[in-house]
Amino acid sequence: MPYYLYILRCGDGSLYTGITTDVERRLAVHRSGRGAKYTRGRGPLTVVYREECGDKSAALRRELAVKALTREEKLALIEGSGE
C-alpha cells in the first residue's frame, strides 16, 4: 500500500503537512476534530497538495524535507502541482 505526503490549507491560511495511506480518509479525520491537534479549530481544511511516496519510510523522509521548506517554497510546490 503506497503512502502519500499531503498538504492542507487551513481556514486561517496556514499550511499543515502530513503523511497517510488514504488522503481522503485522513482529511475526514482532520475535519472531524480527531486529526492532528494543529488542525483542530482551523477549518475549513482543503487538500492543496498530494504526492505518492511509495513506502512509509520514503514518506517520512519526504515529510521532513517539506516541513523544512519555507512557506514560499511550499506555496511554489503547491502551485506547480496543479492540485
Side-chain angles (χ1 to χ4, degrees), residues 52-79:
E52 187 172 334
C53 297
D55 61 11
K56 186 175 184 178
S57 179
L60 287 168
R61 285 192 305 273
R62 182 65 174 141
E63 179 186 25
L64 188 62
V66 170
K67 285 184 172 183
L69 298 176
T70 66
R71 178 175 174 80
E72 291 74 26
E73 291 169 329
K74 289 176 189 175
L75 292 172
L77 180 66
I78 293 164
E79 192 68 28

Side-chain angles (χ1 to χ4, degrees), residues 8-68:
L8 302 178
R9 183 180 315 275
C10 301
D12 62 3
S14 64
L15 300 172
Y16 173 82
T17 304
I19 65 167
T20 186
T21 56
D22 183 340
V23 176
E24 297 308 319
R25 179 188 54 78
R26 188 66 179 144
L27 176 60
V29 172
H30 282 297
R31 286 179 172 165
S32 74
R34 293 176 291 125
K37 189 174 187 179
Y38 182 83
T39 60
R40 292 182 198 151
R42 291 183 189 264
L45 304 171
T46 308
V47 176
V48 293
Y49 182 80
R50 72 183 82 206
E51 176 183 321
E52 187 172 334
C53 297
D55 61 11
K56 186 175 184 178
S57 179
L60 287 168
R61 285 192 305 273
R62 182 65 174 141
E63 179 186 25
L64 188 62
V66 170
K67 285 184 172 183

